[in-house]
Amino acid sequence: MQYNPGWNNSSVNLLHVRAAGPADTLHYVWSSIGAPAVLLVATASRSSTLRINWTQLLSPAPAGAIWIDPPSSIVYSTAVVFTKVFEYSEAKTLEELFYPTYDLSDFSWDSINRTLNHTALTAEFRGIPAAGPGGSFSNGSLAFRVTAYEAGGRDGPLPSLLHTANSSKVEFVLAGVAPRGNSSRFALEVATVEETGVVQKLRSARSIDDEYTPTIFETLSLEAESQNDSSTLSFLQWKATAYGSQTPRREDSIRCRSHGLQAANWTLPVSSIVRAYFGEGVGSTYTISAINISFGGEEGKVYQEKRYLSWSALLGFGQPPKDTFSPLVISIMAVALGTPMVMLLVGSCVVLFAQRKRYSEYEPIN
C-alpha cells in the first residue's frame, strides 16, 4: 500500500494498493480527489507499475496524468465512483420528500495518512461538506473505509462478507450526521465506468442459509460482463442490509434496497483519477452506469435513534465469491431431513411385518 506515491503533500488523498501474483498484478487506486473513486486495473505482468504526473493530475485538465507501465500489459480496467448521497423522507401522501443532495465531489477530506494501517491493510477517507461543518455535519462525518486482503476468508463483523485475495472491501459510514427530517432515509449513488464491449448487470441471489448474516437471505452483485464471451470481469457485491451500530448485531439491521441500474452519462461528476486514467472519452468512448442503494428501517427510526449507518460492499476482479452451506448447516439439514425419512422407513417395515404375521395364521384357499 502506497500513500500519494511520488508526492509529499498530504492535502490530497491517493492510495495505491498493489497485489503481485506469479505472472500478473492487480492495481487498486483509491482517491478522494474530486468525487471518491477507485480505479481497478488488472495486468499480465508481475512488474507493472503505476505512474502519476502529479502536476497534471491536480490541474483543471488531468487527462493522461495516470497510467500503467507498460501499457501493453493491461488486460482490463474499470472504475467505481461514489457520486452523491440523497436524504429523503416519506410525506403523509406517501410521496418522497427529497432534501438538497450531498454532492461528494464538493466534500473536504481528511488526510488518510493518520488512518493508514499497513499491517491490517486498511485506510479511511473521512469528509464533510467543503462549505463548512455547520448544519447536519456539525457533529458528524461521512467516511469510506477501505480494506485490502492478502488471502481468502470471511470478515468477522456483520455482514461477514466472504472475500478472496482478488478483492477489496469498502464500507460506507454516516456517523453523527443530523437528519433533516423526522424519518429521514439515505441513498448512495454509485457509478461505474466500463470499456467498450463490457456491460453492467445487476444480479440477485437468494439462499435459505443465513448462518453468517442472520435474517438476510439476499446477496446482490453488480457484475461487469464481456459481450464477447459472457465472462465476468469485475464485480461489486453486497448483502441486502446495512447496520446502525459500530458493533453490529442482528437487531441493528437496516433494510437495504437497490434502485434501477441505468445509463448515467449525465450524472458522473468530475473525478480526477477517472478522467486522469480514461481521458476525456468518459461518457462517449466509455460506458457509465449508475445505481442508487437506499438505506431505511421502519419509518427511518434506526438511524434517527443511533445516528449511525454502515454499509459494506466487496469489489474485485473475476467472479464474485459465492457462499456455500457450511458443514454445520449440512449436518443440521441431514439430521432434520434424514430423521423423518428413517422413522418413515422403520415404521413401514414394522407395519409390513405385522401384517404378514397376522395373515400367516390362516390356511390358503384353493
Side-chain angles (χ1 to χ4, degrees):
M1 301 178 73
Q2 295 176 297
Y3 174 63
N4 288 352
W7 185 255
N8 295 324
N9 195 326
S10 61
S11 61
V12 294
N13 291 318
L14 188 145
L15 177 66
H16 177 217
V17 181
R18 182 177 182 272
D24 55 2
T25 305
L26 304 179
H27 297 269
Y28 291 86
V29 184
W30 301 86
S31 178
S32 59
I33 303 173
V38 56
L39 176 67
L40 292 81
V41 184
T43 70
S45 169
R46 196 178 190 281
S47 59
S48 63
T49 55
L50 175 71
R51 304 293 186 189
I52 303 173
N53 183 330
W54 281 98
T55 303
Q56 187 176 353
L57 177 62
L58 300 178
S59 72
I66 295 178
W67 70 98
I68 297 295
D69 194 21
S72 59
S73 66
I74 298 173
V75 176
Y76 170 72
S77 56
T78 184
V80 178
V81 187
F82 303 98
T83 53
K84 300 173 184 176
V85 172
F86 302 100
E87 182 180 351
Y88 63 98
S89 60
E90 289 187 355
K92 293 182 179 179
T93 58
L94 298 181
E95 294 181 353
E96 293 176 342
L97 171 65
F98 279 82
Y99 299 96
T101 303
Y102 293 118
D103 191 334
L104 299 185
S105 63
D106 294 332
F107 270 47
S108 174
W109 303 90
D110 294 343
S111 171
I112 67 168
N113 202 26
R114 70 186 71 173
T115 63
L116 186 58
N117 188 324
H118 289 273
T119 303
L121 301 178
T122 59
E124 181 175 307
F125 296 81
R126 183 184 297 271
I128 59 175
S136 297
F137 280 81
S138 57
N139 294 310
S141 64
L142 179 151
F144 291 94
R145 295 173 182 166
V146 175
T147 303
Y149 299 109
E150 291 183 312
R154 185 182 297 276
D155 278 351
L158 292 175
S160 303
L161 294 174
L162 179 67
H163 62 261
T164 68
N166 293 344
S167 60
S168 295
K169 184 181 77 170
V170 58
E171 184 181 2
F172 167 67
V173 178
L174 277 178
V177 177
R180 290 174 283 184
N182 294 328
S183 58
S184 283
R185 304 180 184 186
F186 295 90
L188 174 66
E189 184 181 70
V190 182
T192 62
V193 181
E194 294 293 344
E195 301 170 337
T196 303
V198 179
V199 294
Q200 286 282 354
K201 293 188 177 180
L202 179 63
R203 291 189 168 91
S204 171
R206 295 181 180 272
S207 171
I208 63 172
D209 183 14
D210 67 339
E211 178 184 5
Y212 300 106
T213 312
T215 73
I216 306 302
F217 301 95
E218 183 181 18
T219 301
L220 296 106
S221 57
L222 192 59
E223 301 178 13
E225 188 176 281
S226 172
Q227 291 180 311
N228 294 331
D229 53 10
S230 298
S231 61
T232 302
L233 302 173
S234 65
F235 64 88
L236 180 72
Q237 183 187 61
W238 65 95
K239 294 276 191 176
T241 185
Y243 291 95
S245 172
Q246 296 185 39
T247 54
R249 298 168 297 174
R250 182 178 64 180
E251 54 266 33
D252 299 318
S253 178
I254 298 176
R255 190 171 186 178
C256 172
R257 294 180 177 178
S258 302
H259 303 269
L261 175 66
Q262 56 185 319
N265 293 349
W266 67 89
T267 193
L268 187 65
V270 175
S271 177
S272 292
I273 65 164
V274 172
R275 297 194 181 276
Y277 180 81
F278 290 102
E280 299 299 335
V282 175
S284 55
T285 306
Y286 300 93
T287 304
I288 302 173
S289 303
I291 187 171
N292 289 338
I293 301 169
S294 65
F295 319 99
E298 184 180 353
E299 298 180 357
K301 289 182 179 179
V302 176
Y303 184 82
Q304 189 76 24
E305 294 173 358
K306 300 187 177 181
R307 300 216 174 166
Y308 188 89
L309 168 68
S310 169
W311 171 76
S312 299
L314 196 72
L315 52 87
F317 298 91
Q319 290 278 355
K322 293 183 179 180
D323 267 317
T324 57
F325 291 112
S326 69
L328 174 62
V329 172
I330 293 174
S331 301
I332 293 173
M333 291 176 63
V335 172
L337 297 176
T339 301
M341 290 297 296
V342 172
M343 293 178 65
L344 181 62
L345 288 173
V346 171
S348 300
C349 292
V350 171
V351 170
L352 289 173
F353 179 76
Q355 287 180 340
R356 288 190 61 187
K357 186 175 181 180
R358 187 193 313 169
Y359 289 112
S360 64
E361 298 175 357
Y362 294 91
E363 293 294 333
I365 299 175
N366 292 330

